[in-house]
Amino acid sequence: MQEFADIALTVNGDAVARRVETRQHLVDFLRIELGLTGSHLGCEHGVCGACTVRVDGAVVRGCLMLAVQADGADVWTVEGLSDTGEIADLQQAFIERNALQCGYCTPGMLLTAAEMLEAGRRMTRAEIRAFLSGNFCRCTGYHAIVDAIETAMQGRFGG
Amino acid sequence: MKAPRFSYVRPESLGSALELLAEHGDEARILAGVQSLMPTLNMRLSEPRLLIDINRIDALKGISFEDGTVRIGALARHAELLASPLVAEHLPLIAAAMPHVAHVAVRNRGTFGGSIALADPAAELPACAVALDATFVLASLRGRRTVPARSFFHGLYETALAEDELLVEARIPALAAGYRSSFLEFARRHGDFALAGVCCHAHVDGAVLSDVRLACFGSEDRPLFAGAASAAAEGRAWSGDVKQAVKAALGGDLDPIGSFHASAATRLHLAQVLTGRALDRMVRAG
C-alpha cells in the first residue's frame, strides 16, 4: 500500500515505464509526465469530455481513470492517432466543415468520433448526436461537428 | 481540482479484497469503474485513506444465464450490458435502460456493481433491479448473504452494505412467458441523470395487467417501488380510466424532492406522465 506505484504501459505504440503518484489521473500523467498535451483537461470531473483518450480500444474519460490503473494498458491519444493517419480523413472533414473554433474540445471530439467510425457504418444525425452527448463544445453549437463526422462516414462507407 | 493523497492497492482475489475491507473499514473505498468516485475525489468531497481496486478480480466479472436467472457480476461494465445478447433476450427492461446510462466513454468504464452500490437516486440500474425483483449477493469475511433489491436501497446513497461488505453480483429472474417491460425517463440532455423516470414490468394478457411492478427513480432519495400505483393497475384491463387511477395512486407513492433542476411538482408530473406512457407502450407492444 503506497502513495506511489511503478507502472508500465504502451502509449501511442511506445512502451513507457514510470513511477507515478497513485492519486494522479491518466490525463495529468499523459500531459505532465509524457508531454502529450493534445489531450485537454476541462472540468476534471467527468462532464465535459475534453480529456477523452482511448484505453484498450475504447474511449474513456482521462480524468476519471487513475494513471496507476493504466498499468499494462494500451493507450492512444490524438497525437498517436494523428501520426498513424487513422483519423486523417476525420481531421480533414473537421477542417472542411469548420467543425472547430477555439479547438479545446477537438481532440476529445476526434477520439469519440473515431470510435463511432469503428462501428463500420453510416449513422443517422440523431445517432451521431447521441454518441457525442458526452463531449461538450462551447463554440460550434455541434451542427458543424455532426456535419464533419457525417462527411467522414460518407467517405469511408459510401452514400 | 486534484484528488487528495491516498494509498492504492490492487488485490487479485476476492478473498484478499475482503480482508482489506475488514481491516480498513470506512477508511477504505472500493474502486470499480470510478466514474462516480473519481469526481468526488477530484472535488475533494471524499478523502479515503485507501482505495481498493477490484478491477482485476475475475470472480466479479461477466454476465451469465442459468436456470431462468441472469447473473450479472459486479464488474460487468455498462458497455458490456448494452452489447450483451443475454441481457437483450432475458432482461429487456435493462436493455431498454442502458442507452440512457451516461455517455459512451463513461459506459466503457462504469460498472453495474458500482451503480448499484453507489445508489444514486437518479440512476437507472437500481430502479431496474427493484422492478425486476433482483437479488444482490454481498460478501465479507463473515460470509455471504443475499438481499432483495427492494430492501437494499435505504436512502440517499445509503444501502444495506455494511462497511466490510462487497457487492459480488446480482441475480435477476429472466423474462418469463407473457411478461413485458417498458422503460422511460426524462433528462435535460441525452445521458444525463434523469429528472424523473419509470421502470415497468408486468404480465400482460390481452390488455389485462397482473404482477405489476412499477419502480420510479430520479424523484425520491432512492429507487422506489410504487406499491399503490402498481396495485391500481393489478388485474385490470388497461384503459384511460385505469391510467388515471395509476397516475393518481402514484401521487400517493411519491413525495419528490425538488431541486434547482426541477421542482417537486414538476418531478411528480413527469413521473405520472412517463408512467402512463410507459404502460401504454407496454400494452401496445403485443
Side-chain angles (χ1 to χ4, degrees):
Chain A
M1 280 178 261
Q2 297 285 334
E3 292 182 3
F4 291 86
D6 294 313
I7 62 171
L9 62 159
T10 61
V11 178
N12 296 330
D14 295 329
V16 172
R18 288 284 192 287
R19 165 156 289 210
V20 296
E21 257 195 292
T22 53
R23 67 174 183 147
Q24 186 172 53
H25 57 63
L26 182 56
V27 166
D28 268 356
F29 172 73
L30 295 168
R31 292 176 56 86
I32 297 167
E33 305 297 329
L34 304 185
L36 295 169
T37 52
S39 306
H40 294 162
L41 196 55
C43 69
E44 209 165 19
H45 63 275
V47 174
C48 77
C51 63
T52 306
V53 294
R54 182 188 289 173
V55 177
D56 292 333
V59 290
V60 307
R61 299 252 196 261
C63 75
L64 296 189
M65 183 169 176
L66 296 169
V68 65
Q69 288 188 283
D71 185 26
D74 180 29
V75 177
W76 287 85
T77 69
V78 71
E79 289 93 339
L81 296 189
S82 300
D83 288 348
T84 63
E86 180 190 323
I87 56 169
D89 56 343
L90 196 56
Q91 289 166 314
Q92 189 57 39
F94 266 60
I95 295 165
E96 283 171 8
R97 305 310 296 259
N98 217 20
L100 61 151
Q101 289 177 35
C102 85
Y104 202 85
C105 71
T106 310
M109 290 288 179
L110 289 169
L111 268 284
T112 300
E115 188 154 314
M116 257 186 265
L117 289 167
E118 279 176 16
R121 64 177 178 89
R122 285 189 63 186
M123 290 183 181
T124 65
R125 291 180 72 86
E127 284 177 303
I128 294 171
R129 282 180 177 275
F131 209 107
L132 270 187
S133 64
N135 291 72
F136 278 178
C137 173
R138 304 279 85 146
C139 304
T140 64
Y142 303 98
H143 197 90
I145 297 174
V146 178
D147 289 345
I149 294 170
E150 216 176 19
T151 300
M153 284 177 173
Q154 279 167 4
R156 285 202 199 181
F157 312 124
Chain B
M1 277 169 62
K2 307 301 176 190
R5 289 193 173 82
F6 48 76
S7 293
Y8 168 92
V9 60
R10 192 166 61 211
E12 303 274 337
S13 74
L14 182 56
S16 43
L18 297 179
E19 280 171 22
L20 286 160
L21 261 183
E23 185 184 344
H24 296 277
D26 70 349
E27 295 203 323
R29 292 294 300 273
I30 294 292
L31 185 163
V34 237
Q35 300 301 291
S36 300
L37 177 58
M38 198 76 191
T40 72
L41 294 172
N42 287 351
M43 292 190 279
R44 303 216 174 185
L45 297 171
S46 67
E47 299 201 13
R49 295 272 298 278
L50 174 69
L51 289 187
I52 303 170
D53 185 345
I54 59 171
N55 279 276
R56 302 203 185 180
I57 301 177
D58 289 339
L60 301 175
K61 294 179 181 172
I63 302 166
S64 56
F65 172 69
E66 198 177 347
D67 295 335
T69 300
V70 180
R71 170 204 166 270
I72 303 180
L75 278 181
R77 299 196 193 275
H78 297 322
E80 280 179 74
L81 267 70
L82 188 60
S84 165
L86 287 177
V87 171
E89 182 182 351
H90 299 297
L91 304 174
L93 179 66
I94 290 182
M98 288 318 296
H100 299 276
V101 176
H103 312 283
V104 175
V106 173
R107 288 199 295 264
N108 284 340
R109 291 297 298 173
T111 64
F112 176 83
S115 177
I116 298 296
L118 178 70
D120 189 299
E124 292 84 0
L125 286 168
C128 289
V130 168
L132 295 175
D133 277 334
T135 301
F136 300 129
V137 178
L138 316 183
S140 72
L141 287 185
R142 296 173 288 127
R144 287 191 175 218
R145 65 184 177 123
T146 56
V147 179
R150 265 191 229 179
S151 49
F152 180 80
F153 301 101
H154 289 181
L156 195 63
Y157 303 112
E158 286 180 18
T159 69
L161 277 164
E163 275 174 12
D164 63 343
E165 277 183 317
L166 182 72
L167 174 67
V168 173
E169 64 191 34
R171 293 176 188 159
I172 310 180
L175 188 74
Y179 279 77
R180 288 181 208 157
S181 294
S182 184
F183 177 94
L184 276 178
E185 72 167 46
F186 182 84
R188 291 245 179 220
R189 178 177 66 133
H190 182 96
D192 278 0
F193 279 119
L195 297 180
V198 64
C199 299
C200 310
H201 190 70
H203 184 271
V204 187
D205 184 3
V208 179
L209 302 172
S210 57
D211 194 14
V212 181
R213 285 173 261 160
L214 304 174
C216 293
F217 59 98
S219 43
E220 304 282 315
D221 66 350
R222 75 196 80 174
L224 191 89
F225 173 69
S230 301
E234 186 66 34
R236 303 185 66 182
W238 187 242
S239 67
D241 286 346
V242 176
K243 192 200 289 194
Q244 285 312 314
V246 167
K247 286 181 172 183
L250 201 58
D253 282 322
L254 298 180
D255 183 15
I257 303 167
S259 73
F260 61 86
H261 294 296
S263 69
T266 301
R267 285 176 196 270
L268 176 60
H269 175 74
L270 286 170
Q272 288 171 320
V273 171
L274 290 170
T275 302
R277 276 186 204 163
L279 288 169
D280 274 340
R281 289 185 188 186
M282 194 171 81
V283 173
R284 274 206 309 266

